[in-house]
Amino acid sequence: MSDVETRRRTAEQIRTLLETEGESVQKNTSHFNRQQYEVTENFDQYEEARTRARAIKEDAIEHLPELIEQVEDAVTANGGSVYIAEDAADAREHVADLVGDATVVKSKSMTTEEIELNERLSQNGADVWETDLGEFVLQVADETPSHIVGPSLHKSRDEIAQLFNTRFDPEEPLQTAEELTDFAREYLGERICEADIGITGANFIAADSGTLALVTNEGNARKSAVTPDTHVAVAGVEKLVPSVGDLEPFFELISKAATGQDIPQYLTLLTPPVGTPTLDFETNDTLESSNDRAFHLVLIDNGRLSMRDDPELKETLYCIRCGACSNSCANFQHVGGHAFGGETYSGGIATGWEAGVEGLDTAAEFNDLCTGCSRCVNNCPVKIDIPWINTAVRDRINQAGDDQFDWLVEGLTPDEEGSIDARKRLFGNFEMLAKIGSATAPVSNWLMNARPTKALLERTLGVDRRRSLPSFERETLRDWFDARGGSDIADPRREAVLYPDVYTNYVHTDRGKAAVRTLESLGVVVHIPAVSESGRAPLSQGLISTARARATSVADTLDSHLDQGRDVVVIEPSDFAMFQRDYERLLPAKEHERLREQSYEMLEYVYGLLANGADKDVLSRGEHIAYHSHCQQRTLGLETYTEAVFEDLGYEVVTSDVECCGMAGSFGYKQEYYDLSVDIGDDLRSEFTDVDGPIVASGTSCLEQLESLMSPRVQHPIEIIAPDNY
Amino acid sequence: MTSDRIEDFERSAHAHETSTVRTVADEFEQALSAAVVPPAVGASFPLDGISVSMDITTEPSPEQIREAQTGVTPAGLGIAEYGTIAIQSRTAGDEPISLYPERHVAVLCASDIVPRMSDAVEWLETEIDAGHDSVVFATGPSATGDMGALVRGVHGPKEVHIIVVTDR
Ligand code: SF4
């Protein structure tokens, strides 16, 4: 399929999902997400529990081969069997042999979805029933899960009612959630009582005792595991931890992360074969201890042991499948896992899982939906750097790709990456584009936004023609700064480098000028060196070696300034996030550390100056302000500084709380994602529709999104507070 | 200090849709009969000096479990922080008795209430060492949101009631 055709299809699929599933997915995921923020905020040991959980997983994956041996011994000693399945087919066949044509009740398990177990069992004539209500809905509807935790959350109550009424034709049509639940409880209750075999997954497995931990709210896992006399548990090898004692932080974290509950209804610890009497509804004898319980543990590799040896994918194995990354993701909130997912797994971490268990091709189909906004980062209970995994996989996809439009981006091509997708190089080398655009402005601005050019850009590079393109300034910020003779103030309190990011230097020079004026009036001598783009643009396209080259160049240029004890002040939040977070992966540890410690976000810096005695009276005052922070800035916990400075100056601040504006760098320019970007932006727009006063946004992408959706003039906060008369 | 802990436990239990009542061993039977909706099935009570004369079927058949309105079981442990109780998997059938009937009545000794999850995990480790290796930490009634709104009582009970025996 040609690129154009692929883009058209993706756009089509996204539009359909926005219309059909979007509303339900958004309602459910944002509810979970809000609850998650609330419950973790009230949980004092949140960070400590995350640190412990992470350490336990790191250690367990490190010692995985030993743990596998240990659990084999433990389960066998208990009287159960263990099978290590190499891949999906192996696992499927093994379980099919165990099950034959029996009646099976299953509790929710993504791992059995991964190996497509149900179809295989049905081929043998087995009767298989999903007992988790969400899974049951999907079984009846013959659909696939759209979320790791809430598999059917893309369906509304009405749709489920319609589905059940058609399929089961009850005497009274089912309508309310209560009626639907009662019906399913009865129906599945029968199936559980009749079943010969219960199949469950496992959230965790303690290697030393062979104890399985199952987390549910419904109670179906307990019923499925202990009612029939045979229990088969299917789990990925990564679920092993050394012992039950290691489970404590996970007990504390899993429901908080998943649904925002402080604890699940049922945390079941089973060491099968269990002593619970079996329930034989056919003979109906009184309960008695059963010695004929059978237990089979099927542990699946299916790519996991190779992921363990893969430095970028390894972290994926720490995942406890809570789905918190999906819930906090603006793109996921709008389209759900049927677009933002692969064969089995969905959401932020799905790229890692699908690349590991299915392969790069599957991951490539949805990897672009991660915009790297980083909103999931603080939500992951095991601190997985999900955006990084997505970037690393994107880099691999790039290396495997081919190219058609080289000629268009000749000269815009970062040399380091060899032959990769032209569009990625266009967006990845925004600095070059900006240089040319600025040198030839205003003709270039006119040309870029002229109809024939936009049509060409859309056709060849998939830049959506409905977006207006950035308008470059003829005089860059640095030219202006040099022309005025740099910065010279009497009695300075500090010296700072104002980092001239590409947008500030070439496009939004006004905010750069406002920053210079503000800093000087607060007693800071400013320097604006000739320093490269931070690497953000190439990184977001998955061009890691280009990004690394840029990072190195930035660090080299700033080196002497840092030596002289100068602070580095950054206006664009995504560049600041590079210095704080991403450079950890791109620079030697010491260099990153130094830059991280000596750099500040613009308003964070102003806040610090005011707190240390700078005179706030030189700054401009006002009454109301509507403020949209920036995703990466929020992840770093920085929006409070901007709010505090505004409040200190007498403003009443309304801050948006949507996860992301929907533009996230180049995302909203891409033709296939334009509709999604606008849909997300709409949430932001509606938060600001009735507010008084000017709208400000910290990030350029957010600013452009707001301007195109609402057509007000949107400024950076620094432009509002900058001194009037300077 | 124990009474603070009981209070904490009760508060958390109430927050998780669980009703509680306090009693002493001497008045236990009254508290129990007030809590039970017949027909009831139950697992035996390992409580010193407590006998139950009311009509609760112990050693029930699977059918009696399915038809019971109430299941009565002891709780091995209470966690004050969450209002959680530990139901042990014993040959007396605590697990199905606590799970199948619509109403679960659990009997918890005040001395078995621990403050936090970490204490419960410690307890669990000693239980496993002692060979009691299956347990469920249950918090409130069973629930689902899968049908478009929160509904209680799915595969497990709709109502959970805990009798805290304060002098045990
Ligand atoms: S990556 Fe983290 S947040 Fe996402 S599902 Fe896995 S554990 Fe949860």
Side-chain angles (χ1 to χ4, degrees):
Chain A
M1 223 185 310
S2 71
D3 283 0
V4 179
E5 180 62 10
T6 315
R7 284 200 286 269
R8 201 187 56 74
R9 287 221 192 170
T10 309
E12 190 56 42
Q13 187 209 12
I14 285 175
R15 261 196 300 277
T16 309
L17 287 172
L18 286 173
E19 278 161 25
T20 52
E21 302 185 353
E23 203 180 319
S24 265
V25 174
Q26 193 180 3
K27 181 178 136 235
N28 288 306
T29 49
S30 41
H31 170 71
F32 287 158
N33 194 42
R34 263 195 311 275
Q35 303 251 109
Q36 195 255 15
Y37 287 149
E38 215 180 286
V39 78
T40 50
E41 196 156 300
N42 296 325
F43 177 52
D44 296 341
Q45 298 94 33
Y46 182 56
E47 277 312 315
E48 191 202 319
R50 288 176 81 209
T51 306
R52 268 188 300 140
R54 166 87 188 190
I56 289 164
K57 274 291 187 181
E58 276 180 8
D59 178 68
I61 297 301
E62 199 56 47
H63 297 103
L64 195 52
E66 293 102 282
L67 295 183
I68 294 174
E69 272 180 36
Q70 227 185 334
V71 83
E72 278 188 286
D73 292 346
V75 172
T76 317
N78 294 343
S81 83
V82 181
Y83 186 76
I84 314 290
E86 234 169 80
D87 55 21
D90 186 10
R92 237 176 355 240
E93 292 313 312
H94 182 75
V95 180
D97 283 348
L98 291 173
V99 167
D101 61 358
T103 302
V104 176
V105 284
K106 275 184 70 203
S107 74
K108 186 175 172 304
S109 146
M110 288 307 287
T111 314
T112 60
E113 304 271 351
E114 176 186 324
I115 63 169
E116 293 171 2
L117 184 62
N118 291 13
E119 280 165 38
R120 177 66 190 86
L121 296 183
S122 303
Q123 280 169 17
N124 277 11
D127 217 4
V128 185
W129 293 98
E130 293 289 348
T131 61
D132 172 86
L133 263 46
E135 288 286 352
F136 178 57
V137 167
L138 295 186
Q139 186 176 24
V140 177
D142 198 17
E143 286 180 24
T144 56
S146 62
H147 187 276
I148 302 181
V149 170
S152 67
L153 55 65
H154 59 285
K155 291 190 111 50
S156 68
R157 179 177 53 84
D158 281 350
E159 285 172 294
I160 301 169
Q162 212 173 35
L163 177 72
F164 278 22
N165 290 331
T166 314
R167 166 73 194 267
F168 300 106
D169 196 19
E171 277 170 28
E172 285 288 312
L174 304 165
Q175 210 179 344
T176 63
E178 192 102 13
E179 287 164 4
L180 289 163
T181 304
D182 280 351
F183 175 83
R185 174 190 162 113
E186 280 299 306
Y187 190 88
L188 293 169
E190 297 280 325
R191 307 282 94 73
I192 293 171
C193 293
E194 291 160 8
D196 308 307
I197 295 180
I199 298 183
T200 70
N203 293 82
F204 306 94
I205 304 169
D208 65 346
S209 59
T211 307
L212 315 177
L214 297 170
V215 180
T216 71
N217 285 331
E218 295 182 3
N220 62 310
R222 298 172 65 195
K223 268 189 173 167
S224 303
V226 302
T227 307
D229 56 16
T230 301
H231 175 193
V232 180
V234 181
V237 286
E238 84 284 4
K239 300 287 178 70
L240 287 162
V241 295
S243 78
V244 165
D246 296 309
L247 293 175
E248 192 217 323
F250 301 102
F251 289 172
E252 300 273 21
L253 289 168
I254 194 163
S255 286
K256 292 183 175 76
T259 53
Q261 293 168 253
D262 57 5
I263 189 153
Q265 254 81 8
Y266 300 115
L267 258 171
T268 301
L269 292 140
L270 296 172
T271 312
V274 290
T276 305
T278 53
L279 302 181
D280 188 340
F281 292 90
E282 271 158 34
T283 63
N284 212 20
D285 292 337
T286 54
L287 296 185
E288 51 185 284
S289 168
S290 151
N291 293 323
D292 53 6
R293 278 189 178 275
F295 173 64
H296 307 279
L297 175 63
V298 182
L299 287 174
I300 299 177
D301 173 358
N302 203 26
R304 287 164 174 79
L305 292 172
S306 315
M307 288 165 80
R308 189 173 161 264
D309 296 329
D310 181 324
E312 314 291 5
L313 292 185
K314 183 176 179 176
E315 273 197 67
T316 310
L317 299 172
Y318 308 158
C319 172
I320 60 168
R321 317 253 182 102
C322 67
C325 47
S326 303
N327 299 336
S328 63
C329 171
N331 278 347
F332 192 93
Q333 287 181 354
H334 285 250
V335 292
H338 287 156
F340 198 157
E343 295 287 324
T344 313
Y345 301 99
S346 56
I349 195 63
T351 291
W353 279 121
E354 294 288 332
V357 303
E358 289 289 338
L360 218 47
D361 284 1
T362 310
E365 284 169 21
F366 62 93
N367 167 271
D368 277 352
L369 280 160
C370 172
T371 61
C373 79
S374 79
R375 291 299 298 140
C376 53
V377 164
N378 298 343
N379 290 12
C380 176
V382 275
K383 302 193 192 179
I384 297 176
D385 191 345
I386 302 158
W388 178 260
I389 294 177
N390 285 319
T391 306
V393 171
R394 193 166 298 169
D395 187 68
R396 291 179 194 182
I397 295 167
N398 290 341
Q399 310 295 338
D402 63 350
D403 203 85
Q404 299 184 48
F405 296 107
D406 260 1
W407 56 274
L408 242 180
V409 282
E410 248 6 276
L412 299 180
T413 311
D415 299 331
E416 300 88 343
E417 304 278 351
S419 141
I420 33 112
D421 183 72
R423 175 160 72 161
K424 299 208 166 180
R425 278 184 281 165
L426 173 75
F427 288 121
N429 205 356
F430 189 68
E431 184 172 32
M432 176 70 86
L433 198 67
K435 271 185 193 154
I436 298 172
S438 163
T440 57
V443 176
S444 58
N445 291 329
W446 169 78
L447 197 63
M448 293 267 279
N449 282 298
R451 287 232 317 258
T453 320
K454 295 193 87 170
L456 180 72
L457 280 174
E458 182 173 284
R459 209 168 51 245
T460 52
L461 292 167
V463 178
D464 199 288
R465 71 177 87 189
R466 288 166 288 185
R467 281 273 178 222
S468 37
L469 295 163
S471 174
F472 301 109
E473 295 290 343
R474 185 74 199 236
E475 185 186 42
T476 66
L477 175 69
R478 288 194 43 246
D479 290 345
W480 168 83
F481 187 73
D482 290 347
R484 82 201 268 273
S487 184
D488 182 19
I489 57 167
D491 225 356
R493 54 171 71 223
R494 295 186 86 92
E495 279 192 53
V497 171
L498 181 68
Y499 177 71
D501 67 89
V502 179
Y503 280 102
T504 306
N505 195 36
Y506 294 99
V507 183
H508 297 291
T509 51
D510 280 352
R511 69 184 192 181
K513 294 172 190 170
V516 172
R517 290 206 312 275
T518 307
L519 291 173
E520 287 177 347
S521 68
L522 295 174
V524 179
V525 172
V526 180
H527 303 262
I528 308 187
V531 54
S532 141
E533 188 262 336
S534 70
R536 169 59 68 195
L539 194 75
S540 70
Q541 306 303 320
L543 308 173
I544 294 178
S545 70
T546 306
R548 181 166 287 124
R550 299 280 160 77
T552 309
S553 154
V554 169
D556 288 351
T557 311
L558 294 180
D559 204 40
S560 62
H561 295 278
L562 294 174
D563 278 347
Q564 294 173 64
R566 289 175 187 154
D567 308 313
V568 175
V569 181
V570 187
I571 299 179
E572 180 61 36
S574 61
D575 290 290
F576 183 66
M578 285 296 278
F579 293 0
Q580 294 293 309
R581 274 177 40 79
D582 305 80
Y583 275 14
E584 190 182 352
R585 309 273 188 173
L586 302 174
L587 290 178
K590 262 177 117 170
E591 276 178 52
H592 168 241
E593 188 80 344
R594 192 158 101 118
L595 184 54
R596 186 168 62 80
E597 276 170 10
Q598 281 181 247
S599 60
Y600 302 85
E601 190 267 344
M602 184 73 233
L603 272 282
E604 177 194 20
Y605 196 64
V606 170
Y607 175 90
L609 291 169
L610 296 179
N612 285 295
D615 179 13
K616 73 177 176 195
D617 290 340
V618 301
L619 301 178
S620 294
R621 288 161 183 279
E623 288 180 352
H624 296 281
I625 203 96
Y627 171 49
H628 174 67
S629 184
H630 176 277
C631 40
Q632 280 156 343
Q633 201 183 14
R634 286 178 70 198
T635 298
L636 293 168
L638 293 167
E639 78 275 34
T640 47
Y641 294 111
T642 305
E643 289 166 346
V645 169
F646 274 127
E647 276 160 18
D648 200 19
L649 293 173
Y651 289 86
E652 211 164 291
V653 189
V654 175
T655 306
S656 71
D657 67 3
V658 291
E659 291 301 347
C660 174
C661 70
M663 260 302 258
S666 61
F667 186 81
Y669 288 108
K670 295 180 178 172
Q671 197 183 1
E672 62 273 44
Y673 304 121
Y674 176 82
D675 292 310
L676 175 55
S677 167
V678 169
D679 207 52
I680 293 170
D682 222 42
D683 295 344
L684 174 57
R685 189 180 58 84
S686 64
E687 289 194 352
F688 283 166
T689 314
D690 297 324
V691 297
D692 281 343
I695 297 178
V696 291
S698 304
T700 305
S701 303
C702 326
L703 177 153
E704 283 169 359
Q705 174 78 312
L706 276 162
E707 284 189 341
S708 73
L709 292 169
M710 305 184 72
S711 22
R713 183 161 136 64
V714 180
Q715 291 171 289
H716 187 279
I718 199 71
E719 293 175 78
I720 302 282
I721 66 165
D724 279 334
N725 309 309
Y726 191 79
Chain B
M1 117 94 180
T2 315
S3 88
D4 276 0
R5 200 177 284 175
I6 299 175
E7 255 170 51
D8 285 348
F9 177 82
E10 288 168 334
R11 200 174 318 114
S12 313
H14 299 164
H16 290 101
E17 317 289 334
T18 302
S19 55
T20 61
V21 68
R22 290 189 200 189
T23 189
V24 289
D26 281 348
E27 288 158 23
F28 174 72
E29 177 131 19
Q30 281 146 275
L32 182 63
S33 72
V36 163
V37 180
V41 292
S44 58
F45 295 95
L47 280 187
D48 273 356
I50 290 183
S51 64
V52 176
S53 62
M54 66 174 298
D55 193 13
I56 294 175
T57 310
T58 49
E59 298 179 31
S61 72
E63 208 49 50
Q64 284 168 317
I65 292 181
R66 253 175 110 181
E67 274 158 18
Q69 284 297 310
T70 308
V72 185
T73 73
L77 191 85
I79 308 174
E81 189 182 13
Y82 294 117
T84 301
I85 46 174
I87 307 297
Q88 286 169 297
S89 167
R90 299 184 308 148
T91 52
D94 304 46
E95 170 97 42
I97 290 171
S98 71
L99 195 55
Y100 274 83
E102 270 200 8
R103 183 171 170 82
H104 175 215
V105 174
V107 182
L108 174 66
C109 298
S111 57
D112 289 331
I113 300 177
V114 297
R116 314 187 71 95
M117 179 57 86
S118 49
D119 306 302
V121 173
E122 251 171 56
W123 168 84
L124 184 65
E125 286 181 292
T126 56
E127 284 290 300
I128 288 181
D129 287 344
H132 308 144
D133 47 13
S134 298
V135 63
V136 50
F137 291 111
T139 313
S142 109
T144 188
D146 286 341
M147 296 298 172
L150 185 72
V151 178
R152 271 182 276 286
V154 191
H155 293 283
K158 228 184 195 104
E159 296 169 346
V160 180
H161 180 75
I162 300 172
I163 302 176
V164 182
V165 186
T166 52
D167 58 348
R168 285 290 184 279

